[in-house]
Amino acid sequence: MKNFFNNCYEKYLKKYDEKYGMPVRDFYRKNFNYAIVNCIILAFALDLYIEIVSRGSFGGILLFLEKNPFAFFYNGLIILATLSIGLLVKRRVFVYFVVSSIWLILGTTNGVILSFRMTPFTVADLSLMETGLGVLPNYFSNMELMGLGGGVILLLILYLLLFLFAPKCKNYSLKKSVLVILIIALGLTGSTQLGLRQNWLSTVFGNLGYAYDDYGFPYCFINTWLNTGVGLPSGYSEEKMKEILQEVKQDSTAATGGLLSQEERTPNIVIVQLESFFDPTLIKGLEVSEDPIPNFHALQKKYSTGYLMVPSIGAGTANTELEVLSGMRVRFFGPGEYPYKTVLKDHTTETIAYNLKELGYATHAIHNHRGVFYGRNAVYPNLGFDSFTSLEYMANAEMNPRKWAKDKVLTEEIMTALQSTEQEDLVFTVSVQGHGKYPTKKVYNNPPITVSGIENKGDAYAYEYYVNQIHEMDQFIKELTDTLSEYDEDVVLVLYGDHLPSLEISNDILKNGDLYETEYVIWSNFRMRKIDTDLKSYQLSATVLGRLGINNGILTKFHQTQQGKANYLIDLKALQYDMLYGKQYIYNGEMPYQRIKMRMGIKNIHITDAFTIENHVYIKGENFTPYSVLTIDGDLIDTTYLDTRTLRVPDGTDISDLSKLKISQVEKYSTILSTTE
């Protein structure tokens, strides 16, 4: 292979190299013939590029340099430290190129991500890579995806060429290299301590987006890698935890705090988390041809409502979801962390599902997107759910123009869950229709709702698309409440937005002035007192249960009795740590919640017959969906979905032994979610 590349060089590239390449190399040898100088120049060049891309303009980097010059040079030192590993080997050019390309990819990825969501790129996003790749077609065109694939191939070729042909260091000294690396490491350590002492840096990110703006991408990105989990609380001990628990139990017995009804009632509870759902009329200057969410507004006038403070902006659905389910505060975890992808993969924890199971409830989760997204199919059993119905178990899902499932399919799935058991049910539902990326080109020729007041044409098209999507979501809300109104069992319905959409929105253009505020409504088909109050998302479930007179669960009792007290957040952090990372003193050292043997889907999927007609092989059965695939002895057979009772498989498929035929629900990237017995 080396001879091949040498021949190519001699034939095609040598004359250009002699004309242009040699003068550059001569200049380099005269002025920059010191390895550490190369590293420093390269490090700050990379730092400059990364910050320009992250901030969207050269003006942004000038403001950063004016506001916090130490952070810029500190980030350059971080990059320098990573480049310095090249000093340990002779193939320095190759190592510099590999490390530089990694920083360039990370910085560019952050810039791209910020173009369609408001939360910057974190290490936690890398843990979502497997499921994230599955939604790339929702964000990029086929040509863009082909270009991305071509770029990856080109980069690998460059790696190979540089490894084979890049010059090696001739004046190599391991001792000098190690000494330089030690000096850089000491400089980085000292700079870190100085920055923290002078408040030029911070390890506490109250707002992830603001932190990246204040301290720069390299520092914040690495912080999201090193800083995970809930930190050890000050004074953590068995005595301290028992003291917190005792106070909660005493206050709960006395029913203080005004959040616990004196009369217990156990209706069905349906919670619907609405993707990127919020009121567009809260945006100053945005004009719409008609109210995009009239049904939600009508519910707000009659039923309990208020603002809901959520932990994320433009993304992070799973973290709002976790706060509502568990009562835990996500900001106590590492910056940008998704506990679904870390501690909760193999750890159970208290949730509203486990708490209601103590009262005899059946518990169901529903999501009209892929079952593996955020690892929900693996995490939900640790959160107390008996069943999980994902998109792969829905036969009637329709897609919107951005290939996200429309929410109207959820009414049928929620009613199926409610009617599947004799006892009361908890049905936790996560919608997806309002998901970005929102197109900056015209999608609707005659949209039901038009927008004006947005100067940039691309932004105006994005708003137009978003407003019409949530208008359809609002119609789903009406269909659901109308259906539940006729249901012959008591039902409480909780509706809320998981976060604001990833549009051009800032605090100063919002009438409520806060990017972290969505809204909620607590509806019921029986009489409940209207109580309007603003909440945090980790308080929502405890508030709903309190109004029903239910206080099962330590965190439920805690939120119902301790809000407003001086140590409220301090004690909440201690409880979270003890439950997930500590010695579980509040449970006498033994976690009471066992992983549930959760079933995927509620309806039974099974085969009733298999036959051949005119050389076509058909499988008959019940409750098939477009994701149903025939398996024979564990092998997946190419399957065509015809309807909920009929599948077709290739001619010649051996269907003689029905006992060998099974149906698997297979998500679009071939993960098998379940197989019929």
Side-chain angles (χ1 to χ4, degrees):
M1 179 173 285
K2 195 166 185 177
N3 289 333
F4 169 76
F5 285 119
N6 282 330
N7 291 334
C8 289
Y9 172 79
E10 292 288 338
K11 187 173 182 180
Y12 301 108
L13 301 176
K14 185 176 181 179
K15 60 180 180 180
Y16 297 103
D17 183 37
E18 292 175 347
K19 184 175 181 180
Y20 301 108
M22 291 183 69
V24 172
R25 287 197 291 274
D26 289 341
F27 178 81
Y28 170 82
R29 290 190 188 101
K30 291 178 181 178
N31 298 280
F32 303 106
N33 199 21
Y34 298 97
I36 188 59
V37 175
N38 301 333
C39 283
I40 293 172
I41 294 172
L42 182 56
F44 284 97
L46 289 170
D47 190 15
L48 186 66
Y49 169 81
I50 288 169
E51 295 302 335
I52 290 174
V53 172
S54 296
R55 295 162 200 281
S57 68
F58 192 76
I61 188 65
L62 293 179
L63 289 174
F64 181 41
L65 284 168
E66 178 184 357
K67 181 180 178 182
N68 194 348
F70 176 87
F72 175 79
F73 289 103
Y74 178 80
N75 283 306
L77 191 56
I78 290 175
I79 298 173
L80 176 62
T82 61
L83 288 169
S84 67
I85 62 174
L87 300 176
L88 296 173
V89 298
K90 293 183 178 181
R91 295 182 184 273
R92 289 176 179 174
V93 174
F94 172 72
V95 174
Y96 292 162
F97 184 83
V98 171
V99 174
S100 298
S101 65
I102 291 172
W103 279 114
L104 289 171
I105 290 170
L106 293 175
T108 304
T109 300
N110 184 52
V112 171
I113 283 178
L114 288 174
S115 72
F116 58 77
R117 79 179 195 195
M118 302 167 78
T119 306
F121 184 43
T122 71
V123 171
D125 290 310
L126 297 177
S127 68
L128 299 173
M129 184 174 294
E130 181 181 352
T131 52
L133 290 174
V135 298
L136 284 180
N138 300 68
Y139 292 94
F140 300 104
S141 67
N142 289 336
M143 287 298 295
E144 289 170 332
L145 291 174
M146 289 174 62
L148 182 62
V152 172
I153 294 172
L154 178 61
L155 182 62
L156 294 175
I157 293 173
L158 286 174
Y159 283 165
L160 177 62
L161 291 174
L162 284 170
F163 184 81
L164 292 174
F165 298 109
K168 297 179 182 179
C169 178
K170 296 178 180 178
N171 301 318
Y172 174 74
S173 171
L174 181 60
K175 291 182 179 180
K176 290 181 180 179
S177 297
V178 171
L179 179 61
V180 171
I181 291 174
L182 287 175
I183 292 172
I184 293 173
L186 288 172
L188 184 60
T189 302
S191 298
T192 303
Q193 298 305 316
L194 176 63
L196 293 173
R197 280 200 306 270
Q198 297 294 327
N199 292 322
W200 295 329
L201 302 174
S202 176
T203 57
V204 179
F205 297 171
N207 179 309
L208 196 61
Y210 292 165
Y212 272 65
D213 283 341
D214 292 340
Y215 311 123
F217 174 80
Y219 171 71
C220 292
F221 184 80
I222 291 176
N223 222 296
T224 65
W225 169 44
L226 299 176
N227 185 5
T228 60
V230 179
L232 178 67
S234 176
Y236 175 72
S237 65
E238 182 174 9
E239 181 182 1
K240 177 62 176 176
M241 297 313 302
K242 292 297 177 66
E243 178 185 319
I244 295 173
L245 187 60
Q246 183 64 26
E247 183 178 1
V248 169
K249 288 182 176 179
Q250 287 177 349
D251 288 350
S252 184
T253 301
T256 61
L259 292 179
L260 186 62
S261 171
Q262 298 301 310
E263 178 184 355
E264 180 175 300
R265 188 164 188 167
T266 55
N268 298 291
I269 299 175
V270 178
I271 301 174
V272 180
Q273 177 170 289
L274 298 160
E275 172 64 42
S276 300
F277 187 88
F278 101 118
D279 184 356
T281 63
L282 292 174
I283 299 177
K284 300 174 186 177
L286 178 66
E287 298 178 6
V288 290
S289 58
E290 64 179 80
D291 185 357
I293 52 171
N295 299 303
F296 189 82
H297 284 149
L299 296 181
Q300 287 181 300
K301 293 177 181 178
K302 293 181 62 178
Y303 300 94
S304 298
T305 188
Y307 286 111
L308 187 70
M309 182 75 72
V310 296
S312 54
I313 314 171
T317 293
N319 282 348
T320 302
E321 179 180 322
L322 175 62
E323 288 202 344
V324 172
L325 286 172
S326 68
M328 293 186 176
R329 189 172 189 249
V330 166
R331 288 191 181 177
F332 289 146
F333 293 90
E337 181 177 357
Y338 291 104
Y340 275 19
K341 303 299 291 185
T342 54
V343 63
L344 293 177
K345 290 170 65 176
D346 51 17
H347 199 295
T348 60
T349 192
E350 177 187 318
T351 63
I352 185 176
Y354 278 120
N355 294 336
L356 290 177
K357 285 176 75 68
E358 294 175 359
L359 299 176
Y361 278 70
T363 56
H364 315 279
I366 298 173
H367 183 35
N368 54 335
H369 190 50
R370 299 168 59 209
V372 301
F373 204 61
Y374 283 115
R376 286 185 176 95
N377 61 316
V379 172
Y380 278 164
N382 289 333
L383 303 184
F385 286 105
D386 297 321
S387 71
F388 175 31
T389 302
S390 60
L391 178 65
E392 291 82 6
Y393 297 83
M394 301 178 185
N396 301 313
E398 298 178 19
M399 299 296 164
N400 71 9
R402 298 302 291 180
K403 303 176 185 177
W404 302 105
K406 293 188 175 185
D407 288 345
K408 63 182 181 179
V409 72
L410 296 173
T411 299
E412 175 187 349
E413 301 301 334
I414 290 169
M415 296 311 299
T416 297
L418 289 173
Q419 295 165 354
S420 67
T421 69
E422 295 295 325
Q423 70 262 49
E424 291 84 6
D425 297 281
L426 167 69
V427 184
F428 182 77
T429 306
V430 181
S431 92
V432 79
Q433 180 170 354
H435 207 294
K437 177 182 179 181
Y438 308 112
T440 54
K441 296 182 180 178
K442 194 170 184 61
V443 172
Y444 302 103
N445 290 324
N446 296 295
I449 299 177
T450 58
V451 301
S452 58
I454 305 298
E455 294 182 4
N456 182 278
K457 183 176 287 188
D459 291 342
Y461 286 144
Y463 269 102
E464 180 180 85
Y465 173 86
Y466 171 75
V467 165
N468 283 281
Q469 288 304 306
I470 63 166
H471 183 57
E472 291 187 13
M473 294 169 69
D474 185 70
Q475 293 170 348
F476 150 68
I477 290 172
K478 177 172 173 52
E479 179 186 355
L480 179 60
T481 52
D482 286 349
T483 302
L484 292 175
S485 295
E486 301 298 321
Y487 192 51
D488 59 1
E489 297 179 15
D490 287 349
V491 180
V492 169
L493 171 65
V494 183
L495 301 162
Y496 65 92
D498 61 347
H499 53 69
L500 263 62
S502 54
L503 293 164
E504 292 297 322
I505 305 175
S506 58
N507 285 333
D508 58 330
I509 68 168
L510 289 173
K511 295 176 183 177
N512 57 315
D514 199 324
L515 284 166
Y516 286 91
E517 284 185 345
T518 64
E519 293 175 286
Y520 74 91
V521 167
I522 302 173
W523 176 95
S524 61
N525 64 356
F526 58 91
R527 186 177 179 83
M528 287 183 69
R529 187 158 62 100
K530 178 176 170 62
I531 305 174
D532 293 347
T533 186
D534 296 340
L535 296 170
K536 310 291 194 298
S537 51
Y538 54 80
Q539 299 168 338
L540 181 59
S541 290
T543 299
V544 174
L545 294 181
R547 293 181 188 179
L548 297 172
I550 299 172
N551 69 347
N552 290 61
I554 291 173
L555 287 178
T556 301
K557 293 182 177 72
F558 178 83
H559 289 303
Q560 290 172 350
T561 61
Q562 305 302 302
Q563 289 184 42
K565 295 190 176 182
N567 289 332
Y568 175 56
L569 291 179
I570 294 173
D571 290 348
L572 176 58
K573 181 178 180 180
L575 287 170
Q576 284 185 215
Y577 178 85
D578 189 57
M579 289 176 173
L580 294 177
Y581 304 96
K583 297 185 178 181
Q584 300 171 350
Y585 291 129
I586 57 173
Y587 300 129
N588 294 316
E590 185 175 351
M591 174 62 73
Y593 305 110
Q594 301 300 313
R595 181 179 172 88
I596 303 296
K597 188 176 181 181
M598 185 184 75
R599 66 173 290 171
M600 292 296 298
I602 291 176
K603 297 176 181 177
N604 289 320
I605 301 172
H606 61 272
I607 296 172
T608 58
D609 198 6
F611 51 85
T612 300
I613 298 179
E614 298 180 353
N615 295 324
H616 293 301
V617 181
Y618 296 93
I619 308 297
K620 300 294 287 185
E622 294 184 353
N623 302 315
F624 297 150
T625 77
Y627 298 89
S628 297
V629 177
L630 178 69
T631 63
I632 301 178
D633 290 332
D635 295 327
L636 296 175
I637 308 300
D638 185 28
T639 304
T640 302
Y641 171 79
L642 299 180
D643 56 49
T644 58
R645 300 178 62 87
T646 313
L647 303 174
R648 188 173 68 221
V649 293
D651 300 348
T653 301
D654 183 5
I655 57 173
S656 58
D657 187 352
L658 280 178
S659 65
K660 293 184 178 181
L661 308 184
K662 298 179 185 294
I663 297 295
S664 293
Q665 297 304 110
V666 183
E667 63 102 33
K668 67 177 183 178
Y669 292 100
S670 301
T671 298
I672 297 176
L673 298 174
S674 66
T675 301
T676 57
E677 294 300 325

